[in-house]
Amino acid sequence: MKFVYMMLMAGLLVAATPAVVFSDNCLDCHQTFEDENGPSHLITKDVHYQNGLSCVSCHGGDSTMSDMDDVRKSSSFRGVPTYLQVPDFCARCHSNPDYMHDHNPRLPVDQLEKYKTSIHGKRLFEKHDTKVANCVSCHSVHEIGNAKLPYSSTYPLNLPFTCGKCHADSAHMAGYNIPTDQLAGYQVSVHGKALLEKEDLSAPACNDCHGNHGAAPPGINSLAAVCGMCHAIEAELYNASPHRAAFDELDLPMCVVCHSNHKILPPGDFMIGLTDPAVCGNCHSRDDGTKAPATIDSMKATLANLSQARDSARQILDDAETKGMMTTDEEFLMKEVDQSLIQTRTLIHRFDIDTLGPTAVQGIENARKVQTESAGLINQYYFRRKGLAVATLIITLLAIGLYIKIRRMGR
Amino acid sequence: MNEHTQDRRTFLQWILRGGFAALAASILYPVFRFLIPPKTVEANVSQVKLPFTRADIEAEPHKFKLFKFGREMGIIFIAPNGELDALSATCTHLSCTVQYRPDWQIIWCACHNGKYDLNGKNISGPPPRPLEKFAVNIVNDAIIVSKDA
Amino acid sequence: MPEPAKSQNGSLAHKAYHWLDSRLQIRQLVDYMGHKVVPVHGHSIFYYFGGLTLFLFMVQVATGILLLMYYRPGADSAYESVRFIVSEVSFGWLIRSLHSWSANLMIFTVFLHMFTVYFTFAYRKPRELTWLTGMGLLGLAMAFGFSGYLLPWNSLAFFATRVGTGMAGTIPVVGDWLMIIMRNGEEVTGATIGRFFGLHVAILPALFTVVLSVHLLLIQRQGMSEPLEWRDKPPETKKYIKFFPQFLYRDLLVWLIALNVLALLAVIFPDGVGVLHWPLGEKADPFAAPPASIRPEWYFMFMFQALKFLPAHMWFITGELFGVLFFTIGGIIWTLVPFWDRTSLKGRRSKMVIWFGLLALVFMIVMSILGYVLD
């Protein structure tokens, strides 16, 4: 009898085990009526689901139940949060250091705090604005992916469009008094092209300058620091230049004044000057009483000389190469010329006549060397052909002489 | 045989002898020039003897020098522990030439603030790949740089 | 023996002759050589092809020796030294270009010479040995070409050599062993350069010199072959010119023109032209992927393409074995033509010889063209 009882219990346990361990009735049931864009189907791509969490982990309830009414009545049921409740809903775990430590010690736990300092967070919590972004606006609801994975909405190649969903929509943004051309401008900018077309993941997306959760435009006086994260030398030079103090006083946004913020186009020597399309003329004029006009003229001339020298050198070098001469040494020197040009253009940001001198002079010197050597190679090319002509002449004369001799011998 | 033919014959002889002499000269001249060794030391791209000594590197304000390695550019520097190390000098991001920053103890690319450690590993900023490491040997004061096998 | 006539008013050449003769008694030899004659007929132009090949060979030796002054064999130095020659050494580009062009032209004239000898039946008795030594020279010349091609150790050479030695490996029984010996290892490496170099500058020149000397000696001894039809012609109707100096001057003229053509090609097309292309390019990288179309040199192309056409199996043997047998047997038949062509001994043209020759010629030309077109 005891044996039969034990077998019965064992049998029940075995039968019940699937129900306890394997059953997720939420998914089983919801998948029958939701289409492919429904949460129960999307969830397989979600990082939470892939790490063992499921519907009840966020929504509460009991996954063994098969009746929705029962689920709703269960004590732990949290249901669907409202738009305004979402940040706290996610923060229940994500701001809990102990919990996060056990699940993903690498993740920070300050997202909510930062969010509350952002424009989005302030408006959501203080003004109860439901048009601003909350967690799911950027991360999606049921297919939240690690930002390092290409399908994630926060992957760098996707991020500009995630932000653009609201920020490029003028209907949505009506009433906020901020422009909606950022995405469009960014897409044609050097950064946008580098990231979206060349897929250079090191190029900045929106969050690299604006922050992720504490998203806000960089302060007017902190732009050099933000741009300077990558463009360190330009920032250093700018901070030592007269523009720093001047722009601070006038509350002008540093780098953005000349380069714009989103639609940053490839800079060029054309930017230096007092007339369009140069940018100095936007503030300076020929008789504004500062050192500026003289500096502008000098910098413009220096760059023009160097640029011209570089182009001439390049042209002659290409000619020599097309003619089949070996140009490795000259190409090497040419790299240094290009390097000088890059350096000289960078030194512009000091806005001082004397700074550019040394590198420009070095660059022009090397360019002249390249030109001379390439010209030498081209001369060699023509020398060979002249030599050939001379040799052919000699041989032809000789051949004719020989032929005459042969004819004579025949007679 | 009349004088006319004799003149023509001598003229022909003159042409033939002169012609052969000119031909011989136009062949021997390049051959002699060829045999004279040119000035430049030959560049062997798997190994290069640097045209400067360690003392020259130490005399540099930032303790590094750039050098040519076949078609590439290399950077040789004096590491904090006194060792002489060499790496490829072409940044793996957009091919700018890097520099050694003894104050930060890194190799730095000024173009976009890319940083590499002294073994060439890319540690910060845009560079996607490390810099190739070269082997440095000193033979009688001469510095020989070669590709790491 | 009467004293040789002293000649006080003679030219330098005469003085030199008398000086040597009084010591070595070379007068008999000189008189003998003075009797050599060359037949004059419709196909006399063929007589120049052998000498032309010899001229091109001499250019090869001269330019080869000069290149040897700077070339350094070895995986770490071969490419760099050739690059050095072409870009730094005075006229180095010219010497290298002449060497490449002359090599290709020489192979071409060797084939031309062989085919014209074949179709005029000049190999017939008593010139069988001349034909055999000539075939030996052909093999040696192609070995020269194959071994020299690898020496710059550039991408082009590396892959062509890998394919070529690989083909040797398909020979049954001895194939693998042969391939390893050729490559100096399992793969084509720096060690292969050393072996090919030794072959190219020492072994092959020695062998070539010996065989060439025999070949030339035989020709001097036997004189030029006359056309078949002359066997039954009366002596008065046969025209000859003396070898010294008439034919020699004509030969010299041909060599002069060839020199000019060589110079033109070397200066205007230093890296070759069309399918004859040998730019220095990139250094060999054994780990790189082979380029889309690896090609052997043009004079191996017909074999390469023919082997490509063969299916994996033909009756009871592998396609490769069939190919090897095909070329081996064909080559042996060709080489032994003086012995199986009985007809030309009777003074008549052998139809079989002509057909076989035309077949071989057309086969080689068509296969070569297909090799380039079907890429």
Side-chain angles (χ1 to χ4, degrees), chain C residues 65-234:
Chain C
I65 290 175
L66 287 173
L67 287 172
L68 205 50
M69 297 284 98
Y70 289 102
Y71 175 76
R72 295 184 295 153
D76 284 334
S77 50
Y79 177 81
E80 290 76 8
S81 63
V82 176
R83 190 188 197 89
F84 183 66
I85 291 172
V86 176
S87 62
E88 302 283 346
V89 178
S90 298
F91 295 104
W93 62 274
L94 181 62
I95 305 293
R96 192 231 167 185
S97 187
L98 282 171
H99 198 74
S100 301
W101 270 114
S102 188
N104 280 273
L105 290 179
M106 180 183 158
I107 302 276
F108 179 70
T109 54
V110 147
F111 274 106
L112 205 60
H113 180 46
M114 180 181 76
F115 278 113
T116 51
V117 163
Y118 181 88
F119 284 113
T120 54
F121 315 97
Y123 52 74
R124 65 190 186 279
K125 177 177 170 178
R127 292 179 174 81
E128 302 95 324
L129 277 178
T130 321
W131 171 261
L132 289 176
T133 50
M135 287 305 292
L137 289 172
L138 174 69
L140 289 172
M142 290 174 83
F144 260 120
F146 187 67
S147 57
Y149 204 62
L150 178 66
L151 299 184
W153 193 240
N154 57 357
S155 188
L156 199 67
F158 176 79
F159 290 113
T161 306
R162 207 209 264 176
V163 167
T165 50
M167 277 188 351
T170 64
I171 297 174
V173 183
V174 294
D176 286 320
W177 178 87
L178 189 64
M179 190 181 81
I180 291 181
I181 295 234
M182 282 173 85
R183 286 182 175 179
N184 199 3
E186 294 273 354
E187 300 290 335
V188 174
T189 60
T192 321
I193 303 180
R195 185 150 290 201
F196 277 25
F197 181 68
L199 252 157
H200 194 78
V201 308
I203 301 176
L204 289 174
L207 287 173
F208 200 89
T209 307
V210 168
V211 180
L212 181 63
S213 306
V214 174
H215 192 77
L216 291 174
L217 217 67
L218 290 168
I219 296 170
Q220 291 312 308
R221 189 84 179 88
Q222 297 175 320
M224 300 301 214
S225 163
E226 296 176 3
L228 258 186
E229 303 76 52
W230 280 28
R231 201 176 83 131
D232 303 313
K233 271 175 86 157

Side-chain angles (χ1 to χ4, degrees), chain A residues 5-196:
Chain A
Y5 178 69
M6 270 170 51
M7 288 307 290
L8 203 62
M9 286 311 290
L12 277 172
L13 268 169
V14 169
T17 308
V20 165
V21 174
F22 298 112
S23 90
D24 190 331
N25 279 349
C26 320
L27 285 180
D28 289 344
C29 189
H30 277 260
Q31 273 169 357
T32 59
F33 61 84
E34 282 176 2
D35 69 13
E36 71 222 5
N37 290 324
S40 59
H41 290 110
L42 295 175
I43 198 95
T44 47
K45 281 163 75 177
D46 191 291
V47 64
H48 301 101
Y49 182 76
Q50 286 162 359
N51 279 304
L53 301 171
S54 69
C55 317
V56 296
S57 316
C58 296
H59 293 289
D62 187 340
S63 62
T64 59
M65 294 179 181
S66 43
D67 191 289
M68 200 58 212
D69 291 321
D70 293 337
V71 171
R72 284 199 198 92
K73 286 198 222 109
S74 65
S75 54
S76 60
F77 186 67
R78 285 178 227 113
V80 177
T82 65
Y83 199 86
L84 298 176
Q85 288 172 329
V86 163
D88 289 318
F89 192 80
C90 302
R92 195 174 59 87
C93 295
H94 278 280
S95 291
N96 184 336
D98 291 322
Y99 184 81
M100 289 311 294
H101 182 270
D102 288 341
H103 285 83
N104 188 347
R106 273 186 175 175
L107 278 184
V109 288
D110 61 353
Q111 295 92 335
L112 181 60
E113 249 181 86
K114 281 186 156 166
Y115 178 71
K116 284 183 175 164
T117 69
S118 73
I119 308 278
H120 300 142
K122 284 197 186 130
R123 289 199 69 92
L124 184 129
F125 282 109
E126 293 164 23
K127 305 269 170 48
H128 301 298
D129 188 342
T130 56
K131 279 170 66 175
V132 294
N134 63 7
C135 314
V136 300
S137 317
C138 299
H139 288 284
S140 91
V141 193
H142 295 106
E143 38 176 353
I144 302 172
N146 187 323
K148 293 200 176 75
L149 297 176
Y151 68 78
S152 165
S153 52
T154 47
Y155 182 64
L157 293 184
N158 300 328
L159 192 96
F161 303 101
T162 305
C163 306
K165 251 196 320 191
C166 295
H167 281 277
D169 182 348
S170 36
H172 184 94
M173 297 303 295
Y176 287 114
N177 279 333
I178 54 174
T180 49
D181 60 354
Q182 300 93 333
L183 178 60
Y186 175 77
Q187 277 176 298
V188 300
S189 72
V190 271
H191 296 140
K193 288 208 169 145
L195 180 67
L196 302 172

